[in-house]
Amino acid sequence: MLLPLLPVAVSAILVTLPTDSWGRPGHTRDVVHYVLGYVGGLTVLPWLLGHGIARLTRAVRARRGRTGSDGTGVPDTP
């Protein structure tokens, strides 16, 4: 998670500085889009993908555990 720290920090500095550009029309919109892109692209999207893959894997394993190992749909008995 620390790997993208340097590029994000450098780009955040470039977006926010110099402070006199904040009066320019559209700069606030640019900053909002930057934050949405980086926060969404570097934190939320990977978390959603990991969460979705984990749930899918859990569901597939649960289905395999219910059907039994021989594929007949009958649960294994000890």
Side-chain angles (χ1 to χ4, degrees):
M1 192 63 181
L2 293 177
L3 184 61
L5 184 61
L6 182 62
V8 171
V10 169
S11 62
I13 290 169
L14 292 175
V15 166
T16 56
L17 294 177
T19 55
D20 59 349
S21 65
W22 282 86
R24 192 184 80 226
H27 185 74
T28 304
R29 179 182 44 111
D30 292 342
V31 171
V32 169
H33 287 158
Y34 165 81
V35 169
L36 289 175
Y38 268 87
V39 170
L42 292 177
T43 58
V44 175
L45 182 62
W47 182 86
L48 284 174
L49 288 172
H51 183 69
I53 290 169
R55 288 186 59 110
L56 180 64
T57 303
R58 191 178 319 141
V60 169
R61 286 182 181 170
R63 181 178 293 177
R64 282 189 193 153
R66 277 186 273 142
T67 59
S69 60
D70 60 354
T72 59
V74 179
D76 292 334
T77 55

